[in-house]
Amino acid sequence: MLQGRRILLIIAGGIAAYKSLELIRRLRDRGMSVRCVMTKAAHQFVTPLAVASLSEDKVYSELWSLTDESEMGHIRLSREADLIVVAPATADLMARMAAGIADDLAATTLLASDKPVLIAPSMNTMMWAHPATQANLAILTSRGVNRVGPGAGDLACGEVGSGRMSEPAEIIAAIEGHFAEVALAGSDKRLAGRRALVTSGPTREPIDPVRYLSNHSSGKQGHAIAAALAALGAETVLVSGPTQEPTPTGVTLVPVETAQQMLAASEAALPVDIAVMAAAVADWRVDREANQKLKKDGKGPPMLHLVENPDILATLSRRRNDRPSLVVGFAAETENVVGNAVAKRQRKGCDWILANDVSPSTGTFGGDSNTIHLVEAEGVESWPAMTKREVATRLADRIAATLGGPH
Ligand code: PMT
């Protein structure tokens, strides 16, 4: 999938620039050609000679170089690439990208580009958290710029927190995910003739007419999976709790609120070949919803009596005559992630479980990235951190390979 792809790597001036050397080497090992643009500041961290040696190509830095402009202008630099990767993407370069500033070769190339862009941010944790950087990131994301990382941990500046550039292996996984998506968006219709059901988002369990029990699921993961299955040609029904996510192209949305409604809508969608249960279903609901808004009556807080909700994943996994050929669940864990997921797969009777850590520090709930451990009967496969879209693409690809061709 990566053989022969052309990467334009833009190296900005951050301490993580040293990782770009390893990235170039690994990209080349996978058969990709890598052409590099370095900002002036990047020269402070790695030498153009090292970059040129590893990429086996000239390094481009000067906007006004007569030689560069005549041999390879900024327009051609971007036109002759399949993907532009900015690693490290510094706060400064992200700001210039967001503002459309073209004051050096890197920024001008990005502005003059019609190619997909992947950024790997790298900066001090306060710079990353700063509203200006987050606003720039939101602008770039809204324009379709993809992102990998940053990770959290010890930073070169001595502080600890988010801002560390993703490792080369993670950036390569994101590049692979990008090209897999491109392939799927094209002519790959391996799931044509198949029917798929995906659950997504949270459920809301009413307490009274104005209050409910729920969770932080945004629906990003489930919706991305529905989009990826539909892109492969599956006729896809998406049963979703309340979310802000747009309905993916070619997907039939069935909006629900409660777990009971989600179960009913899921059963109504049967028969299907594939069921992926990504919704964060509330395990409990209040046994009797109050007809009127609960009032403070001076007798202390009300006692809520909870009863267990139906388990949609376990119910579908145990259907006799119309069990989907492949039932995939998720396991949202905050400790012993893989161990709990292995037990959960057996308890619920599904074929695969995608385990993810939902501890608040991971940002899995609501965030754009996820780290998955795929639990099958045969064993566990850990995937590197990637965007939720990439998780969806990889899962859809795996499903298509398992079910084997159009139906
Ligand atoms: O929506 P996002 O912000 O993108 O976040 C994605 C996610 C974290 C919600 C998603 O990746 C995820 O982990 N979804 C499953 C959440 C969950 O409820 O996990 P669980 O371990 O409690 O449940 C295990 C499985 O049983 C899940 O497939 C769940 O959908 C299913 N389940 C749970 C309870 C229930 N009553 N019925 C169910 O079907």
Side-chain angles (χ1 to χ4, degrees):
M1 190 201 304
L2 299 180
Q3 186 78 28
R5 301 288 190 176
R6 298 164 307 169
I7 304 293
L8 179 67
L9 176 63
I10 295 185
I11 306 174
I15 185 70
Y18 76 92
K19 292 189 194 172
S20 307
L21 299 178
E22 174 68 5
L23 179 63
I24 297 169
R25 197 180 61 73
R26 292 195 185 205
L27 291 170
R28 302 265 303 141
D29 283 351
R30 282 168 174 72
M32 285 178 269
S33 68
V34 187
R35 179 165 278 156
C36 298
V37 170
M38 291 174 71
T39 64
K40 228 183 202 111
H43 289 228
Q44 304 294 323
F45 296 94
V46 286
T47 66
L49 184 61
V51 173
S53 306
L54 286 164
S55 64
E56 293 186 50
D57 198 351
K58 184 176 169 3
V59 172
Y60 298 85
S61 289
E62 296 300 328
L63 183 56
W64 303 116
S65 155
L66 279 178
T67 343
D68 285 2
E69 275 296 312
S70 55
E71 281 175 8
M72 174 66 66
H74 55 270
I75 306 285
R76 255 183 75 202
L77 272 172
S78 88
R79 296 292 188 275
E80 293 188 0
D82 298 310
L83 174 68
I84 302 180
V85 178
V86 187
T90 55
D92 171 70
L93 184 51
M94 283 173 61
R96 288 188 286 141
M97 287 169 76
I101 292 173
D103 57 354
D104 67 1
L105 183 63
T108 308
T109 304
L110 285 159
L111 192 63
S113 167
D114 60 352
K115 291 299 162 70
V117 177
L118 172 73
I119 59 171
S122 166
M123 64 197 73
N124 164 271
T125 189
M126 300 290 273
M127 289 168 87
W128 174 247
H130 196 285
T133 304
Q134 291 303 311
N136 290 333
L137 176 65
I139 291 173
L140 296 177
T141 306
S142 72
R143 291 183 194 147
V145 169
N146 288 313
R147 170 169 69 95
V148 52
D154 292 332
L155 302 177
C157 55
E159 293 185 6
V160 178
S162 262
R164 197 164 67 176
M165 186 169 99
S166 297
E167 295 303 319
E170 292 167 325
I171 299 176
I172 287 182
I175 293 172
E176 268 173 352
H178 164 77
F179 286 121
E181 259 184 31
V182 170
L184 292 187
S187 55
D188 185 351
K189 297 290 174 204
R190 278 176 291 160
L191 291 178
R194 304 275 186 187
R195 284 173 52 83
L197 161 68
V198 179
T199 65
S200 182
T203 64
R204 283 182 184 170
E205 311 297 331
I207 296 171
D208 66 17
V210 296
R211 302 183 179 96
Y212 54 81
L213 297 174
S214 191
N215 57 65
H216 295 296
S217 170
S218 62
K220 286 181 182 173
Q221 186 63 86
H223 279 53
I225 292 168
L229 293 171
L232 278 184
E235 189 186 329
T236 305
V237 175
L238 174 63
V239 178
S240 178
T243 81
Q244 301 292 320
E245 288 298 293
T247 306
T249 314
V251 166
T252 305
L253 176 75
V254 183
V256 296
E257 294 249 332
T258 67
Q260 288 174 303
Q261 290 168 1
M262 189 170 272
L263 173 64
S266 298
E267 290 187 313
L270 298 178
V272 297
D273 303 286
I274 307 147
V276 183
M277 308 282 100
V281 185
D283 285 319
W284 301 282
R285 66 177 185 279
V286 176
D287 66 345
R288 248 175 303 155
E289 178 188 350
N291 290 333
Q292 303 300 330
K293 183 181 170 208
L294 294 174
K295 298 264 185 243
K296 285 190 266 184
D297 57 7
K299 295 183 199 148
M303 295 293 288
L304 298 180
H305 183 247
L306 301 182
V307 292
E308 201 164 315
N309 264 329
D311 192 308
I312 304 162
L313 175 62
T315 306
L316 293 194
S317 298
R318 301 213 172 92
R319 300 271 304 198
R320 284 186 172 267
N321 299 328
D322 55 2
R323 183 192 191 277
S325 313
L326 189 62
V327 182
V328 182
F330 269 78
E333 306 293 341
T334 54
E335 55 175 346
N336 187 19
V337 175
V338 172
N340 285 345
V342 168
K344 200 169 265 183
R345 193 190 75 82
Q346 282 172 349
R347 200 168 60 245
K348 301 212 180 200
C350 57
D351 301 300
W352 301 348
I353 276 240
L354 274 68
N356 47 195
D357 189 338
V358 293
S359 308
S361 61
T362 62
T364 306
F365 265 116
D368 291 316
S369 57
N370 205 350
T371 305
I372 293 292
H373 306 277
L374 171 63
V375 179
E376 297 172 282
E378 298 76 27
V380 180
E381 183 182 297
S382 293
W383 297 354
M386 53 182 86
T387 65
K388 287 180 175 170
R389 272 168 56 192
E390 287 157 0
V391 166
T393 305
R394 190 157 173 169
L395 176 65
D397 182 55
R398 184 75 160 236
I399 290 173
T402 302
L403 293 183
H407 204 41

